[in-house]
Amino acid sequence: MTTAHDTPVLDTLAAMTLDSMERCGLTPEALILTRIAALVAMDAPPLSYVAHFEAGAATDLQPEQVQDVLVAIAPVVGTARVMAAAGHITKALGIEITASAHESDV
């Protein structure tokens, strides 16, 4: 069994997250979407998205909302960051993106 002393880094991150959520005036859904935007801007690895999607599931976060965030921030963070984030997100969720027939012809 894991105790608090076995996972000091995860415990600290969890405490920081809870403190942030308690002090933030955003709705839980808006908070998760904002954090996803920040993860994209930072080029976060797939594991960083996992916890946020788990929290997002509790708020009924829809894939279309995440897609809308990616569209909204693309002009600011750039297409390369958004495409990298899409790859990280799909890896975090355990899904694959396949190219359309049109793209495979290019």
Side-chain angles (χ1 to χ4, degrees), residues 21 55 70:
M21 291 174 78
L70 296 178

Side-chain angles (χ1 to χ4, degrees), residues 4-98:
H5 300 293
D6 294 335
T7 58
V9 174
L10 292 176
D11 295 343
T12 300
L13 293 173
M16 289 170 38
T17 298
L18 287 173
D19 188 44
S20 172
M21 291 174 78
E22 289 172 359
R23 295 172 185 256
C24 183
L26 295 174
T27 65
E29 182 180 88
L31 176 68
I32 296 301
L33 291 171
T34 301
R35 287 182 176 197
I36 289 170
L39 292 174
V40 174
M42 295 176 57
D43 195 23
L47 186 58
S48 295
Y49 290 92
V50 172
H52 291 86
F53 286 125
E54 288 175 0
T59 67
D60 291 327
L61 186 68
Q62 299 299 309
E64 295 81 13
Q65 292 171 291
V66 175
Q67 183 175 334
D68 287 342
V69 166
L70 296 178
V71 170
I73 65 173
V76 177
V77 300
T79 57
R81 280 281 157 112
V82 169
M83 294 305 292
H88 296 323
I89 289 168
T90 58
K91 187 173 183 179
L93 297 176
I95 58 175
E96 290 185 27
I97 298 176
T98 58

